[in-house]
Amino acid sequence: MSQPNTLRTVIVAAVEPSAASDQVIHTASSLAGIVPGAELHLVYVVDPGPPPHAMALSITDLVSDGRVYLDRAVERALAVTAAKVVGHLGIGAPAERILQIATDIDADLVVVGTHEKKGLGRMLGSVSNKVLLNARCPVLVARVKETEPAGPEIEPPCPDCVNVQFATRGEKLWCERHATRHVHGRVHYALAKGYGAGAMFLRPSA
């Protein structure tokens, strides 16, 4: 008789109605689909704000809207992964509730989103930054891939090299133009161009 699979990997994804959260759902769902025994827990927190809660919408309306959004987020995740997906609706300070839920279900990974491109604190947003600093497990920052370089010192990737990598599933890394300046092997040494060499490959000694 085969032994039951007892492996459990808990992935928590902090979601909210925003474009940044779209990438969080996609990234977390994709991971859950390839990690054995993965469970995906989507957490959305309704923040009523500090007392006396002077808001146009009542807390009842906010909770109702939160349920609708969370249900849709779970459906989107299930369209990507066959893993177990659970939605959690919390009320309170978002970072605290996300961290508490992640602790309560013994999370192995928390996925958060980004809002800005520059500066770690501004990029993450206050909630994601607090989660990153205080989580008891690894935190993954999910962001959309950019075609532009991250800074003036970072060159954009060669489109031909990227196409080769995709077509060969990583078996080949360089296009014909760039392959001639690389020694093929399994140890990768990247040297700054100022030192007279670009990225190169050296075959490890036996």
Side-chain angles (χ1 to χ4, degrees):
M1 179 183 293
S2 61
Q3 295 295 321
N5 181 13
T6 58
L7 185 63
R8 179 177 186 246
T9 302
V10 179
I11 301 173
V12 168
V15 299
E16 61 178 358
S18 71
S21 193
D22 294 343
Q23 187 63 35
V24 170
I25 295 172
H26 177 76
T27 299
S29 301
S30 299
L31 283 173
I34 62 175
V35 176
E39 302 171 15
L40 176 57
H41 296 258
L42 305 183
V43 180
Y44 174 63
V45 181
V46 174
D47 184 4
H53 310 319
M55 301 178 298
L57 291 175
S58 69
I59 188 65
T60 302
D61 292 329
L62 289 174
V63 170
S64 178
D65 290 345
R67 284 176 176 163
V68 172
Y69 168 74
L70 189 57
D71 287 344
R72 290 175 180 170
V74 169
E75 289 176 2
R76 289 179 55 193
L78 287 170
V80 177
T81 180
K84 176 182 177 181
V85 180
V86 180
H88 299 263
L89 182 66
I91 301 176
E96 292 177 8
R97 296 311 308 155
I98 293 165
L99 290 166
Q100 186 62 62
I101 291 172
T103 299
D104 291 343
I105 61 177
D106 196 21
D108 298 291
L109 176 70
V110 177
V111 183
V112 297
T114 67
H115 294 283
E116 301 289 340
K117 295 181 181 179
K118 305 298 182 183
L120 182 61
R122 291 189 303 128
M123 177 184 75
L124 291 176
S126 61
V127 173
S128 294
N129 202 35
K130 288 178 183 177
V131 172
L132 179 64
L133 293 174
N134 296 287
R136 298 170 65 249
C137 64
V139 177
L140 172 64
V141 179
R143 62 176 301 177
V144 179
K145 275 189 176 181
E146 298 286 345
T147 55
E148 295 298 320
E153 69 281 3
I154 306 300
E155 296 181 0
C158 167
D160 294 333
C161 287
V162 172
N163 289 337
V164 168
Q165 294 160 20
F166 181 82
T168 65
R169 299 178 66 85
E171 288 297 321
K172 295 182 179 179
L173 298 179
W174 315 117
C175 66
E176 230 177 279
R177 181 163 56 96
H178 291 116
T180 56
R181 69 185 189 194
H182 296 282
V183 179
H184 300 285
R186 294 182 180 176
V187 179
H188 303 210
Y189 292 91
L191 302 179
K193 290 185 177 179
Y195 290 94
M200 68 174 68
F201 282 71
L202 298 178
R203 189 180 302 280
S205 57

